[in-house]
Amino acid sequence: MRRHWAINGRFLTQKVTGVQRYAREIVEALDRRIAAGDPLTRGLDVELLVPAGAATTLHLTAIRPRVVGPARGPLASGHLWEQFSLPRGLEGGLISLGNGGPLLHRRQIACIHDVSTRSFPQSYSVPFRLLQRVMVPAIGRAAAMISTVSHHSAGELTERGLCAADKLLVAPNGHEHTRHWHPQHTPATRAVAGPGTIVLLGSPAPHKNMDLLLGIADRLAAQDLQLAIVGNVDGRVLRNGGDRATGENIHWLGRLSDDALAALLQDSLCLAFPSFVEGFGLPLLEAMAIGCPVVTSDTASMPEVCGPAALYASPGNPDAWMDRFARLRREEGLRERMIAAGHKRTQRFSWHVSAGLYLEAMAALDGLAEARWGAGKAGGIAHRILV
């Protein structure tokens, strides 16, 4: 029996953020499992369908890229390509990994990473928010199965009525990609890294809560602590939080390569992650994987990701953040214990395992006996998970 599946390659036309990183790593992990002859890939034929001009920079040996759609015009890219050009190239099932997918293709596993446009709408532009308000419930109804990246997100999807609980799959982010990072400073990161440096990732979007740390910059300076802020904002999606704050202990580094970020994290006090909401929070996992302590919010998915390996504070309590930073500096051996705990925690999250969950889901939709399903609960919300 030949089984035909395709992967929605629209993510290859987008800037790489957490969603696109997830898509790239899941596809490459699927490719490795297919090439290795995983039993669930028997008779399985998988293609990566991409728009014309997409940069297929993935390392693939078993999954074949194929261009679909016109080379130019309104149907050559973006949402219109996804809704109208992509379905014409389909045979069999489809995996869509980037918060959307063609609404008319029912035999589809679509990944919805979070519902932040609903829980924190002020972070997003009006056009993007309106699009997601239509797209998420529509794909939640249309797709045969909805995957997401955390039990927190699964609970949000069901509680808001965006997806039926009995077709949810939790397939988290993994950490293995950090093994290919080679920490190497740039002049800018070398100048700011040190035992008194707090690294802050993300953007000025309100849900990232950057203002909490910028608001205590003077208090941090009094304790010889400085902020190294990494990342840019996409104005087409996120609303900018305003002008950049300035201060002798505030350093805006912009976007960094993975290697430069790894060097900065390893040589700094900690990663600070004060978000109000996150679907998963991949930077937390990356920091722990490369040996950087984490101080993070005690809300949303963050405790699910970090478990006992992080220090927690309320995203609305600046005094608590000052206390956690001070504790990390003064408590002997705490940083080393957190690094060890972080390494251990990351082993719970694997691209290889999550790719296996997608293979199980594909097999289940193909009606194969090897697909074993069981009922489970996440945060008190019943949904289907693979066992």
Side-chain angles (χ1 to χ4, degrees):
M1 170 187 171
R2 298 301 301 175
R3 301 160 54 212
H4 297 280
W5 281 80
I7 298 169
N8 178 349
R10 184 183 167 216
F11 67 89
L12 289 170
T13 67
Q14 300 166 330
K15 184 177 72 175
V16 178
T17 64
V19 171
Q20 291 75 30
R21 170 83 75 176
Y22 179 89
R24 295 175 71 90
E25 296 296 338
I26 288 292
V27 172
E28 289 190 348
L30 283 170
D31 184 79
R32 289 190 293 270
R33 295 191 73 136
I34 295 170
D38 187 298
L40 284 170
T41 68
R42 190 177 302 117
L44 181 63
D45 180 57
V46 181
E47 292 183 299
L48 175 64
L49 304 186
V50 299
T56 52
T57 56
L58 301 179
H59 302 290
L60 304 175
T61 59
I63 296 175
R64 303 182 313 280
R66 178 163 64 92
V67 173
V68 298
R72 57 182 60 87
L75 300 183
S77 63
H79 293 289
L80 292 179
W81 177 87
E82 187 171 61
Q83 295 301 321
F84 299 104
S85 298
L86 173 61
R88 295 174 186 171
L90 288 175
E91 178 185 1
L94 176 68
I95 299 175
S96 294
L97 297 166
N99 284 328
L103 299 179
L104 297 180
H105 194 79
R106 302 282 178 169
R107 194 161 168 234
Q108 179 177 188
I109 305 169
C111 184
I112 304 299
H113 291 247
D114 57 57
V115 294
S116 296
T117 53
R118 293 167 183 261
S119 57
F120 233 88
Q122 59 268 42
S123 282
Y124 299 87
S125 66
V126 172
F128 184 79
R129 195 163 68 229
L130 292 175
L131 177 65
Q132 290 298 298
R133 184 162 289 274
V134 173
M135 176 61 71
V136 172
I139 199 70
R141 291 189 299 269
M145 190 176 298
I146 296 295
S147 62
T148 192
V149 293
S150 67
H151 296 304
H152 166 75
S153 285
E156 288 273 282
L157 286 165
T158 55
E159 288 169 6
R160 293 176 181 272
L162 301 175
C163 174
D166 63 356
K167 63 177 184 180
L168 264 173
L169 161 68
V170 176
N173 287 256
H175 75 282
E176 298 97 319
H177 61 286
T178 61
R179 297 172 185 168
H180 304 292
W181 293 3
H182 304 286
Q184 184 172 359
H185 279 293
T186 66
T189 60
R190 190 181 302 280
V192 302
T197 298
I198 298 163
V199 181
L200 179 61
L201 301 181
S203 76
H207 75 280
K208 296 293 186 181
N209 199 23
M210 186 179 293
D211 285 348
L212 179 135
L213 294 186
L214 293 177
I216 58 173
D218 290 345
R219 296 172 64 184
L220 293 172
Q223 300 296 323
D224 294 324
L225 293 170
Q226 57 184 343
L227 290 172
I229 303 172
V230 179
N232 291 333
V233 62
D234 184 345
R236 294 170 301 174
V237 175
L238 299 171
R239 295 171 59 92
N240 197 304
D243 296 332
R244 286 184 173 184
T246 58
E248 290 187 0
N249 68 327
I250 301 175
H251 309 280
W252 297 87
L253 300 179
R255 291 185 67 86
L256 296 177
S257 68
D258 292 336
D259 292 347
L261 176 60
L264 176 65
L265 287 170
Q266 285 185 343
D267 292 341
S268 296
L269 176 68
C270 65
L271 169 70
F273 203 78
S275 292
F276 286 103
V277 295
E278 293 285 340
F280 184 87
L282 180 57
L284 298 168
L285 199 60
E286 292 172 335
M288 291 189 295
I290 64 173
C292 178
V294 167
V295 182
T296 186
S297 297
D298 58 2
T299 60
S301 61
M302 281 69 89
E304 180 182 338
V305 173
C306 296
L311 297 180
Y312 294 96
S314 166
N317 186 346
D319 290 338
W321 288 82
M322 288 296 303
D323 174 78
R324 304 307 181 268
F325 298 142
R327 181 184 168 196
L328 187 54
R329 290 194 83 186
R330 71 170 183 262
E331 189 171 321
E332 186 176 354
L334 176 58
R335 190 174 188 278
E336 290 71 23
R337 293 195 300 273
M338 289 183 65
I339 290 173
H343 282 308
K344 182 178 179 180
R345 185 69 182 178
T346 61
Q347 302 311 305
R348 300 168 66 98
F349 300 95
S350 165
W351 297 120
H352 178 81
V353 172
S354 288
L357 296 178
Y358 278 101
L359 288 176
E360 288 266 14
M362 294 157 68
L365 292 177
D366 286 340
L368 298 185
E370 291 93 332
R372 302 183 305 277
W373 286 85
K377 285 181 176 269
I381 305 298
H383 64 288
R384 294 169 75 189
I385 59 173
L386 289 163
V387 297

